[in-house]
Amino acid sequence: MGIGSYDGRFDSGRVCLDLVAAAPQGAEGLGRWLMAAGLLPPGTPLGAVTARWVVPFHELRVCVQGLVDAEIDRHRAGTGSRGGPAAVPGRHGGPDLALARLNSFASSSAPPAVTAVRDDEGELVRAPLARPECAALLAAVARDAVELLTDSVARTRLRRCEGDNCRRVYLDTSRGRRRRWCSSEVCGNRERVARHRRRAALSRA
C-alpha cells in the first residue's frame, strides 16, 4: 500500500493507523513520532529510544498495514463476516501470521504505566517516563490495532485516501461516512486546486 509522505500529521483517527502513515525512520525519527503521538509524555528522555527499537516497530507497522488492507479489501468485496480475509502475500505470510504477530506484540507486555503530577503552575499533567520500554510502547500500539480490528463498526469505517499519490488509511467518522481524503486541508485542497486549474485551462481553450 503506497502512502503519502509523512509530515507530522495525525489524521488517521487511531494511533495504529498513524504509525502506518508515518513510517518513522531511525531511532531519532521513531522517538519524535512516539512523543508527537502522545505515547511518550513530554519530558521523557528520548535517548532511551535506540536503534534496537526500530525493527520491532517496523514489524508492527507492517502487520497492522497488512491486516487493515485485508479488512478494507474484504469489506469492498462484500464478503462480510462469512468470508475469509483476502490474502496479503509477502506480509508475514498473510493475515493469519500477521495477526499472530500482532497478538504477540499486544500481549508481551503491559502498556506504559502513566501517572499524573502537577507542573510548575499547579496543573495536572502526565509524568515523564523515567525509563520508557520498547515492549510496553509496542503493546500500546498493538492493543489499539486489536481494538480497531475487532470492532465491527469501526472496521466498516476504514478508508483509503482518494488523493493523488496518497494511500493513507483513516477511520471515517464523518456525518454520512462521505469523507474522501485523509485530510481535507491537504489532499482535499490539492484536488480542489487541481480541479480549478483544469477548469481554467478548459475555459482558456
Side-chain angles (χ1 to χ4, degrees):
M1 180 181 71
I3 61 174
S5 60
Y6 176 62
D7 50 14
R9 292 187 287 124
F10 290 84
D11 302 312
S12 304
R14 299 295 289 251
V15 70
C16 62
L17 299 180
D18 287 326
L19 176 63
V20 173
Q25 300 296 311
E28 184 178 347
L30 177 59
R32 288 197 306 267
W33 181 84
L34 289 168
M35 185 73 75
L39 293 165
L40 290 177
T44 299
L46 294 183
V49 181
T50 68
R52 290 195 300 268
W53 293 38
V54 174
V55 171
F57 266 95
H58 173 74
E59 186 178 359
L60 173 59
R61 176 184 175 271
V62 172
C63 288
V64 174
Q65 182 178 353
L67 289 164
V68 167
D69 274 350
E71 286 300 324
I72 292 175
D73 293 341
R74 187 177 71 143
H75 181 66
R76 284 184 173 179
T79 57
S81 61
R82 291 170 293 180
V88 185
R91 290 178 181 160
H92 298 285
D96 288 343
L97 290 179
L99 182 60
R101 194 70 183 111
L102 176 67
N103 287 334
S104 176
F105 282 126
S107 61
S108 63
S109 177
V114 179
T115 58
V117 295
R118 294 194 182 276
D119 63 13
D120 294 339
E121 298 178 355
E123 297 291 333
L124 286 171
V125 297
R126 293 186 303 158
L129 299 178
R131 190 177 180 182
E133 297 181 357
C134 182
L137 291 160
L138 286 166
V141 179
R143 291 184 186 196
D144 179 66
V146 169
E147 290 176 3
L148 171 62
L149 293 167
T150 56
D151 184 330
S152 59
V153 174
R155 285 199 308 266
T156 65
R157 297 177 180 175
L158 288 167
R159 302 283 188 273
R160 290 191 186 105
C161 182
E162 296 180 18
D164 289 341
N165 301 317
C166 181
R167 297 289 286 167
R168 290 175 187 246
V169 172
Y170 60 88
L171 201 62
D172 183 5
T173 58
S174 65
R175 183 177 298 179
R177 309 292 178 258
R178 295 179 179 177
R179 180 177 167 188
R180 297 176 53 199
W181 305 293
C182 62
S183 169
S184 179
E185 291 75 19
V186 180
C187 288
N189 188 58
R190 287 173 184 162
E191 181 163 326
R192 286 187 288 270
V193 169
R195 190 186 307 135
H196 172 74
R197 288 175 176 170
R198 286 194 297 269
R199 285 199 299 263
L202 287 173
S203 64
R204 288 194 300 270

